[in-house]
Amino acid sequence: MERLERCGRRLRAALAAGRVRRRLPWLLLAIVVLGSTLKDGDLVPETPLQNKRNPLNVYFVKVAWAWTFWLLLPFITVTTYQFAKSKLLYGRMKSILTVLRRLSALLVGTAVWYVCTRVFMYIENLTGACSTSGKVSEPRRLFDSKQECHQHNGIWNGFDISGHCFLLSYCALMIVEEVAVLEGLSIDQNSKLRVVINALFVSLCFLSMIWVFMFLSTALYFHDFSQKLIGALIGLSAWYGTYRSWYLKPFSPGLPLPNIPLNSKKYGYSR
């Protein structure tokens, strides 16, 4: 328990800091550019990460939104309710409604994930052609979709926007935004609730590190530069459009409590 507390304090100082929230979008864009440059120059060494069947890709990235959703769900619930309760902002019923309002951010995220991935698949099917000769350079439009092509052992050549770059960037930024609530939350040192929140916080921090690491892996080993850049820009746009624009307005899920935007002069991370 003491180790968890120490780990939580260190990660809180690093990941929940305002500088991380400001710099992470630029870091992700830099990773796309640098990773693509190394990939195009054949300067990337062979590692297990270039195999799509590596454990991190199969058990984490392939279900990235599920991991993000199910860890943020209890974290947002507990921290939002505890903050409202500790600050005496609302009554019990109003606090519950505030929790439900904040949890709707996960529904927004689910909608963003679903719509964007469907659009990516549509664009790839629309722009692609299937070759059963085994040569991508000699495509023939024999089938209407990538799925049909693969069922006949063909190779589909279309514009494949990187869903990994989109989702991993969006999930990492969303986690960093949500864990910032801890800077304004006071919990008794010996409270069981503190242990639960610390466990969720540490898990979310490590999850965001995995997302950034696998984002780097994608930049180094997969997709063309334009496909990765567009995927990352869509992920960043989804984050900016929600947490830096829509969530500042009254009729929205709202920002994590305390409801103060990052660029506000009143916002502080003093401890």
Side-chain angles (χ1 to χ4, degrees):
M1 194 174 300
E2 292 181 1
R3 290 181 180 179
L4 179 65
E5 180 67 26
R6 287 198 299 270
C7 185
R9 282 199 301 268
R10 291 172 183 172
L11 288 172
R12 190 179 306 185
L15 259 177
R19 62 180 178 274
V20 174
R21 296 168 66 200
R22 291 187 182 95
R23 295 172 183 173
L24 184 56
W26 300 107
L27 173 63
L28 294 171
L29 289 175
I31 288 174
V32 170
V33 175
L34 180 59
S36 298
T37 301
L38 294 174
K39 177 179 180 293
D40 295 342
D42 292 327
L43 300 175
V44 184
E46 293 187 2
T47 69
L49 291 173
Q50 67 191 90
N51 184 351
K52 292 183 179 181
R53 300 300 300 172
N54 73 77
L56 282 175
N57 194 54
V58 173
Y59 298 109
F60 283 90
V61 179
K62 291 292 186 182
V63 286
W65 181 246
W67 277 104
T68 304
F69 183 97
W70 290 112
L71 279 176
L72 279 178
L73 179 64
F75 181 83
I76 293 175
T77 300
V78 174
T79 54
T80 303
Y81 185 82
Q82 182 63 23
F83 188 88
K85 178 182 176 182
S86 64
K87 299 300 181 181
L88 301 176
L89 296 179
Y90 315 115
R92 181 181 177 85
M93 183 56 65
K94 190 70 178 291
S95 296
I96 292 174
L97 292 176
T98 302
V99 171
L100 294 176
R101 179 189 177 192
R102 286 264 45 254
L103 286 176
S104 66
L106 295 177
L107 296 180
V108 173
T110 302
V112 169
W113 160 72
Y114 182 82
V115 171
C116 287
T117 52
R118 291 292 176 180
V119 170
F120 295 169
M121 292 171 59
Y122 176 77
I123 291 174
E124 187 178 9
N125 285 331
L126 186 66
T127 59
C130 184
S131 172
T132 55
S133 65
K135 297 181 180 179
V136 177
S137 59
E138 298 178 3
R140 290 186 299 136
R141 186 175 291 276
L142 302 176
F143 306 101
D144 293 330
S145 69
K146 181 178 180 180
Q147 184 179 7
E148 291 181 7
C149 179
H150 286 175
Q151 287 174 352
H152 291 80
N153 298 318
I155 297 177
W156 188 263
N157 182 30
F159 190 76
D160 183 16
I161 298 174
S162 177
H164 281 19
C165 284
F166 151 69
L167 187 57
L168 294 176
S169 60
Y170 182 57
C171 287
L173 288 165
M174 187 174 183
I175 289 173
V176 171
E177 290 286 353
E178 293 294 342
V179 299
V181 69
L182 292 185
E183 292 302 317
L185 189 62
S186 178
I187 309 173
D188 181 21
Q189 184 77 22
N190 300 318
S191 171
K192 292 181 179 180
L193 180 63
R194 186 182 183 92
V195 176
V196 172
I197 292 177
N198 261 334
L200 289 169
F201 171 66
V202 170
S203 299
L204 283 165
C205 286
F206 278 111
L207 189 65
S208 64
M209 293 177 192
I210 291 175
W211 295 161
V212 174
F213 177 73
M214 293 308 293
F215 185 92
L216 172 62
S217 173
T218 301
L220 289 173
Y221 292 109
F222 304 102
H223 293 281
D224 295 335
F225 172 67
S226 60
Q227 297 168 350
K228 289 178 285 193
L229 181 62
I230 291 174
L233 287 176
I234 292 174
L236 267 63
S237 297
W239 155 76
Y240 191 91
T242 50
Y243 284 90
R244 298 299 171 86
S245 181
W246 181 29
Y247 290 1
L248 299 177
K249 303 183 185 304
F251 298 101
S252 73
L255 292 172
L257 296 173
N259 196 352
I260 304 173
L262 183 65
N263 57 3
S264 171
K265 294 181 179 179
K266 297 180 179 181
Y267 202 104
Y269 284 92
S270 58
R271 303 168 60 82

